Amino acid sequence: TLTYDWRGKNRDVSENRGNYLIDMKPGDQDNTTLDVKSAVNYMASQKGIDTNRMGLIAATLGTIYGIEGAMGDSRIKTIVLLTQYVPNDKVKQFLTTSDTPIFFIASTEDLNYEAGNLADYTRTAYRLSKSKETEFLLYDDAGRGSEMLKGKSELTPMIVRWFKDKLAQ
C-alpha cells in the first residue's frame, strides 16, 4: 500500500485559490495525472510488489486523476472510487472502453458547491462502465469521499475484499 497526496494538496490555501485544502498553481492541475503515474511506478519498483496485481483507490476530485493515471497502464487491474467527481471526456472514454472493474462508492449527501450532488456523477460513471464486474454502492449518510471510510466501518473490509477478489491470480 502506498498513500500519497498529489501536488497542491494540504498546502496553505491562499485567499483567491484553492478549496478543499488544495492550492495549485495555474497549470499544475494538468500535471496531477503525472503524480498518479509516478506513484504507480514507484510502487511497482519496490521489492516484493507483483506488478501484475496492482489496484488503485481515489476519492472525489482525485478520481479524475486516478483514472487518467491508470489509462494505458496494464498493471492497474482494478480501481476503487470514493465519490466520482464530474467525469471529463477522457474519463468517459476510459469507462466506456476499458474492461477494468471499478467499485464505485458514493453518498447522496456528498454535495459540491460547484458541481452539485456527486452521487449523481458517480451513478452516471457506473452506468458508463464497460466492465461487467463493476459495482456501485450508494449510501444516504456516508459523508464525502475518503471521509466515508471513517463514517462507515464496513467499507474498509469491503474494499480489501474487492482488491483480494479482483487481484487474485
Side-chain angles (χ1 to χ4, degrees), residues 43-54:
M43 188 70 167
S45 74
Q46 300 306 297
K47 190 175 186 175
I49 296 299
D50 183 348
T51 58
N52 293 311
R53 296 176 36 191
M54 295 180 73

Side-chain angles (χ1 to χ4, degrees), residues 80-83 103-111 117-120 122-123 135-159 161:
V80 174
L81 300 175
L82 303 169
T83 308
F103 186 14
F104 291 98
I105 306 166
S107 178
T108 57
E109 67 181 11
D110 191 345
L111 303 175
N117 190 322
L118 296 184
D120 293 338
T122 308
R123 184 181 294 109
E135 295 182 21
F136 177 52
L137 175 61
L138 181 63
Y139 287 102
D140 286 326
D141 60 349
R144 177 178 186 84
S146 60
E147 295 299 314
M148 290 189 284
L149 298 172
K150 294 176 186 173
K152 295 294 181 182
S153 60
E154 71 273 15
L155 265 182
T156 298
M158 287 171 70
I159 292 169
R161 278 192 302 277

Side-chain angles (χ1 to χ4, degrees), residues 3-15:
T3 302
Y4 76 97
D5 281 336
W6 28 271
R7 63 190 73 216
K9 183 78 170 133
N10 291 327
R11 284 189 196 153
D12 289 335
V13 178
S14 63
E15 185 175 318

